[in-house]
Every structure is written in structure tokens, then in C-alpha cells.
């Protein structure tokens, strides 16, 4: 089964907790704090494996969770960092954050890696909080929570050549006779509902990868028919071979077919029209094909080369394949498009995210929320009084006390943060 788009939840590993410990050894009076730091949590990493050509592995496993770091140990021993959770993906994989729409990674080359979710750092042990004023602190940090994301994973096949055309014009038949691929061939529309890949050997020590892409119809750029499922894969091809039923066996005009498909390509992405295009005039063994080809050439002119072929009788295929191979030699391998950098670098000010927000529940309680304040809460070990006092000071430093007063909080009012409740005290 071919899978080229899937939604996935990823959760990087949490950091290990820091330790509260003291050095107690014979003949070592006043040994002092000896709690070690926790290890870092596992990153979620996508790594390209050129042996894959589908996202099938994601179909049955859509939740990926990294291991947490090891907790800190006594004698100031650092907890072990968790190894990265590496997930293999096929070349041409694009990863998008579903909540923000941000493109996280575009993976195209073999063994290329990208960190999709970053693991949390380990919490600090009490050794790290020692200072002249407090030489034996009774507090440590919990590990930082790992990043979690809902992502959309898309596959855009990286093929040298893409076969485009209306349904039933002979794309699958063409691929089956020029390569070892075995696409489904039948006398009805949309026989091919997923791209097929085949390696074509031209016979003169040259080869390339050809993709038989599902048939287009009018309105595909708006999602009609197979729509975007097809068009997504055209983006990565270096040469487009436009297969046209020159015999007009279904009553359509070959030139109108050509114009409509180019309109759909342009509506999806105007850059597709700049790709080198070769026309394969198929079914030339059928009645009426010669007359239609003459009319087609008059309307088209000499802009794009036209090759007369018959996928059934295999006439003209050698010339077509040589022309494709020659064109590919002129075009560099696919590389991610990078916008040219301006000579003048302009630094734009980006407003930092607010550390906290305040709302009120129907029962009158004040509710604190926000990524920064929630992370701080999760990293606080409330079993130690010093840690609670430090958390209180951090909130005051953030301006939480002042903001609550401005919202009308009075002595004894309830304040909620995640599942924790505490009283506001003047």
C-alpha cells in the first residue's frame, strides 16, 4: 500500500530529575551537597533512508515517544542522557507543524537528519544551587518536559521523470514496457490511484527513475479527482513527460487536453511550467492519430519537442527515452531551493512570547497559563520547602503578583496553575 500523507503525534523525552543528596563519608566532616544533575531526554529525529519510498510505517504507529533522561545520582554523578529516537523516512519527506503550519524539515538526501521534537534538559541537582549564603541547599530541579507536537508528514516522490496526462492515455502502459515496474493497467479511468516508480535503462549505460502519476482531470488544482494527491508528487520531478492520447479514443481533442493539464499545473504551482517538458504522442497506431497530430503541431508550434510513440507496439520508445536522458543530463540533481540572500542583512525585532496569561474560571478563581510558567511549575520539586520558596520568588520576578493585583485579586483568593491550587497572599 502506498501512503504519502499522515498525521502523527511526537513527544520528546523528559529530562531526568536532579537529586538532593549530601556527602557522608568517614573522616570527611561537613561533606556538603553531592546531588547530581539529571540526563537530557531523547530527541525525536527523522532520518532519510533511500531504501524507503512510502510512509507505510506511520500508518500503524502514529504516536512516537522518546525516553526520559536518567535521574541524577549521589556523589554528583550526572544521569545518563537518553539516546535519540531515530525514525527512518523516505527521501522527499516534508514535516509540517499542524498547529502553526510551519515547515519543520524538508528531507531529500540519504542519511539527512532533522530534530523534529527536542528533548528536555535534565534538572539540576542540589550541588548546582550551593553558594556562600546557602552552602547546603535542600532543593533540586525536576527535568524539563520534552517538546510535543502534532505534525503532518508528507511525501513528495523524488523521481527524475514524471508522467502526466488525462486518465487512460497510456501512462501506466508506457511505464510497464520501459521498466520492470508492474502498474495496474485496465480500460477504465483512475486505474492508477497511487504513484508507481520504475527504473528505466536506455541501453547506453544511462538510467533514470520514472514515476507514473495518477491521472489529472479538470479542476485537479482545487482537489477534484485525485487532485493534490497527484500534484504533490510533480513538484520534485526534473522533467515532465506529457502523455497525450493522440488518437482521441475518448472523443477529447488532444490539444485541449494539453492546455487543460498545463492550466492545472500552473494553478497548483506556477514554477511547474518552468520545468522541461516533453510531449509523448501516444496511440499513434490507432486510426485518426496522424490527422490529430498534424492539427496538434499546427496549434502548438515548435516550442516543445513531440515524440510519436505507441506504448502497445513499442514504436518510438527508444527515441523518447534517449531524449529524456539527454534532457536530464542538462539538469542538476534535485536540490532544495534556497532563496538568494540579500546583500544587506536586516535584523527584525521579534516580540517574545508572554511568560504567562491570566483568565478567570466561573467560580471566581484566577487561572495562570503559558508555556514558560507551566514549564517552570513542572520543573519545581514541591517536596522541598526551599524549592517552593524559589518558585514563589520566580513568579514574583515574572510579575505574576503584580498582574494578579491589577486583575483584582485579593488576599485569600484561589489561583490555579495546571492541576495545582494555591491562595493569593498579600
Amino acid at each position: 500500500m502506498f501512503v504519502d500523507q499522515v498525521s502523527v503525534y511526537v513527544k520528546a523525552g523528559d529530562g531526568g530529575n536532579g537529586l538532593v543528596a549530601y556527602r557522608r563519608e568517614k573522616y570527611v566532616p561537613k561533606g556538603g551537597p553531592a546531588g547530581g544533575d539529571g540526563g537530557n531526554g531523547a530527541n525525536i529525529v527523522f532520518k532519510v533512508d533511500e531504501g524507503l519510498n512510502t510512509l507505510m510505517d506511520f500508518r500503524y504507529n502514529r504516536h512516537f515517544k522518546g525516553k526520559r533522561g536518567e535521574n541524577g545520582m549521589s556523589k554528583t554523578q550526572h544521569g545518563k542522557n537518553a539516546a535519540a529516537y531515530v525514525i527512518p523516512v523516505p527521501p522527499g519527506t516534508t514535516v509540517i507543524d499542524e498547529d502553526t503550519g510551519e515547515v519543520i524539515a524538508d528531507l531529500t538526501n540519504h542519511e539527512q537528519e532533522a530534530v523534529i521534537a527536542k528533548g528536555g534538559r535534565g534538572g539540576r541537582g542540589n550541588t548546582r544551587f550551593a553558594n556562600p549564603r546557602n552552602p547546603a541547599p535542600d532543593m533540586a530541579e525536576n527535568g524539563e518536559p520534552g517538546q510535543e507536537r502534532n505534525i503532518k508528514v508528507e511525501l513528495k516522490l523524488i523521481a527524475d521523470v514524471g508522467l502526466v496526462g488525462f486518465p487512460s492515455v497510456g501512462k501506466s502502459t508506457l511505464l510497464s514496457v520501459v521498466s520492470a515496474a508492474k502498474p495496474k493497467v485496465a480500460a477504465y479511468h483512475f486505474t492508477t490511484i497511487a504513484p508507481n516508480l520504475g527504473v528505466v535503462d536506455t541501453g547506453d549505460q544511462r538510467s533514470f527513475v520514472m514515476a507514473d502519476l495518477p491521472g489529472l482531470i479538470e479542476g485537479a488544482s482545487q482537489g477534484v479527482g485525485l487532485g493534490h494527491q497527484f500534484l504533490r508528487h510533480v513538484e520534485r520531478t526534473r522533467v515532465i513527460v506529457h502523455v497525450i492520447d493522440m488518437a482521441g479514443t475518448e472523443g477529447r481533442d488532444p490539444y485541449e487536453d494539453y492546455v487543460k493539464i498545463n492550466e492545472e499545473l500552473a494553478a497548483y504551482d506556477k514554477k511547474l511550467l518552468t520545468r522541461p517538458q516533453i510531449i509523448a504522442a501516444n496511440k499513434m497506431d490507432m486510426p485518426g492519430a496522424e490527422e490529430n497530430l498534424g492539427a496538434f503541431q499546427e496549434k502548438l508550434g515548435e516550442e516543445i519537442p513531440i515524440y510519436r510513440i505507441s506504448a502497445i507496439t513499442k514504436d518510438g520508445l527508444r527515441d523518447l527515452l534517449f531524449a529524456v536522458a539527454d534532457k536530464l543530463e542538462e539538469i542538476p540533481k534535485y536540490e532544495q531551493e534556497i532563496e538568494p540572500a540579500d546583500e544587506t542583512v536586516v535584523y527584525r525585532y521579534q516580540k517574545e512570547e508572554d511568560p504567562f496569561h491570566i483568565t478567570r474560571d466561573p467560580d471566581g478563581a484566577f487561572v495562570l497559563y503559558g508555556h514558560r510558567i507551566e514549564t517552570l511549575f513542572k520543573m519545581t520539586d514541591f517536596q522541598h520547602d526551599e524549592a517552593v520558596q524559589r518558585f514563589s520568588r520566580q513568579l514574583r520576578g515574572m510579575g505574576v503578583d503584580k498582574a494578579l493585583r491589577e486583575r483584582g485579586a485579593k488576599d485569600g483568593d484561589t489561583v490555579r496553575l495546571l492541576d495545582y491550587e494555591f491562595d493569593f497572599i498579600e
Side-chain angles (χ1 to χ4, degrees):
M1 185 180 294
F2 184 85
V3 180
D4 63 354
Q5 189 174 33
V6 67
S7 292
V8 176
Y9 169 79
V10 293
K11 168 73 167 70
D14 299 338
N17 298 334
L19 182 68
V20 175
Y22 299 93
R23 186 179 179 190
R24 293 185 178 88
E25 295 181 37
K26 194 175 182 180
Y27 308 124
V28 184
K30 302 179 181 178
D37 299 345
N40 297 330
N43 294 332
I44 302 293
V45 176
F46 281 12
K47 184 175 181 179
V48 177
D49 181 351
E50 64 184 4
L52 300 176
N53 58 11
T54 176
L55 299 176
M56 188 65 188
D57 292 345
F58 290 92
R59 183 176 179 85
Y60 302 107
N61 183 12
R62 300 197 180 191
H63 287 73
F64 298 90
K65 188 174 182 180
K67 291 184 178 179
R68 66 173 296 134
E70 195 176 53
N71 293 338
M73 295 170 282
S74 59
K75 297 184 180 179
T76 64
Q77 293 181 90
H78 196 291
K80 184 179 180 180
N81 296 333
Y85 187 174
V86 180
I87 303 167
V89 294
T93 299
T94 303
V95 186
I96 301 168
D97 190 311
E98 283 198 324
D99 299 323
T100 65
E102 171 197 5
V103 176
I104 303 169
D106 191 5
L107 302 163
T108 57
N109 301 318
H110 182 52
E111 295 191 345
Q112 182 182 352
E113 295 184 354
V115 176
I116 306 303
K118 188 171 177 56
R121 71 169 177 85
R124 292 174 290 181
N126 68 333
T127 307
R128 301 284 292 275
F129 294 99
N131 57 53
R133 291 178 57 189
N134 185 8
D138 188 33
M139 60 171 288
E141 281 181 334
N142 290 335
E144 180 185 19
Q147 189 177 16
E148 53 185 314
R149 275 177 155 162
N150 291 305
I151 60 174
K152 182 166 65 175
V153 185
E154 289 186 349
L155 174 61
K156 300 175 184 178
L157 288 179
I158 299 180
D160 297 308
V161 180
L163 299 178
V164 304
F166 268 80
S168 299
V169 295
K171 299 184 299 298
S172 298
T173 305
L174 175 59
L175 181 67
S176 67
V177 298
V178 299
S179 74
K182 301 297 180 186
K184 185 176 181 181
V185 178
Y188 57 86
H189 287 190
F190 295 107
T191 311
T192 304
I193 58 174
N196 292 301
L197 291 176
V199 177
V200 178
D201 186 354
T202 61
D204 61 350
Q205 306 300 317
R206 293 186 294 177
S207 63
F208 52 85
V209 178
M210 180 180 282
D212 163 27
L213 302 167
L216 268 175
I217 59 174
E218 195 170 0
S221 58
Q222 280 77 47
V224 178
L226 294 174
H228 294 164
Q229 297 179 44
F230 153 77
L231 288 164
R232 182 186 311 120
H233 299 292
V234 185
E235 293 182 41
R236 299 283 167 95
T237 57
R238 295 194 285 150
V239 172
I240 296 174
V241 173
H242 198 138
V243 184
I244 296 176
D245 175 5
M246 201 53 71
T249 54
E250 297 195 354
R252 296 191 309 267
D253 179 63
Y255 185 75
E256 287 183 7
D257 284 4
Y258 170 76
V259 172
K260 285 177 181 177
I261 287 195
N262 277 330
E263 286 175 351
E264 295 302 326
L265 293 175
Y268 180 75
D269 186 351
K270 290 183 178 179
K271 293 179 183 177
L272 293 179
L273 292 186
T274 64
R275 300 281 165 83
Q277 196 170 123
I278 293 174
I279 295 176
N282 194 24
K283 303 188 182 180
M284 292 303 297
D285 57 315
M286 301 284 288
E290 288 293 345
E291 294 80 0
N292 289 339
L293 178 59
F296 184 90
Q297 286 176 321
E298 284 182 14
K299 295 176 182 177
L300 182 66
E302 302 296 328
E303 299 175 9
I304 300 174
I306 302 174
Y307 291 87
R308 305 155 50 101
I309 68 166
S310 171
I312 295 293
T313 64
K314 301 183 181 180
D315 290 338
L317 295 184
R318 179 182 174 85
D319 291 340
L320 173 66
L321 297 183
F322 276 20
V324 171
D326 291 342
K327 184 62 70 175
L328 288 171
E329 289 179 351
E330 301 171 8
I331 306 168
K333 281 283 189 181
Y334 171 82
E335 293 179 358
Q336 185 177 357
E337 294 181 2
I338 301 174
E339 294 293 332
D342 295 332
E343 293 182 5
T344 306
V345 179
V346 179
Y347 294 95
R348 295 179 177 85
Y349 172 74
Q350 292 184 341
K351 184 179 178 181
E352 291 186 4
E353 184 182 355
D354 294 331
F356 66 91
H357 302 275
I358 301 175
T359 59
R360 295 197 75 169
D361 276 351
D363 61 358
F366 293 88
V367 179
L368 295 172
Y369 69 95
H371 176 72
R372 185 174 163 192
I373 195 171
E374 289 174 6
T375 299
L376 198 65
F377 172 79
K378 292 174 182 176
M379 294 182 69
T380 301
D381 184 358
F382 288 93
Q383 295 180 350
H384 295 88
D385 291 340
E386 283 190 29
V388 176
Q389 293 168 11
R390 179 172 177 265
F391 179 68
S392 178
R393 291 194 301 272
Q394 288 172 320
L395 293 188
R396 195 173 299 114
M398 276 185 180
V400 174
D401 289 8
K402 181 180 177 182
L404 285 170
R405 289 191 193 95
E406 290 174 352
R407 292 292 296 265
K410 295 183 175 58
D411 193 50
D413 283 352
T414 300
V415 179
R416 293 195 181 104
L417 176 55
L418 297 177
D419 297 329
Y420 185 72
E421 289 189 359
F422 53 93
D423 295 331
F424 180 74
I425 299 175
E426 285 286 359

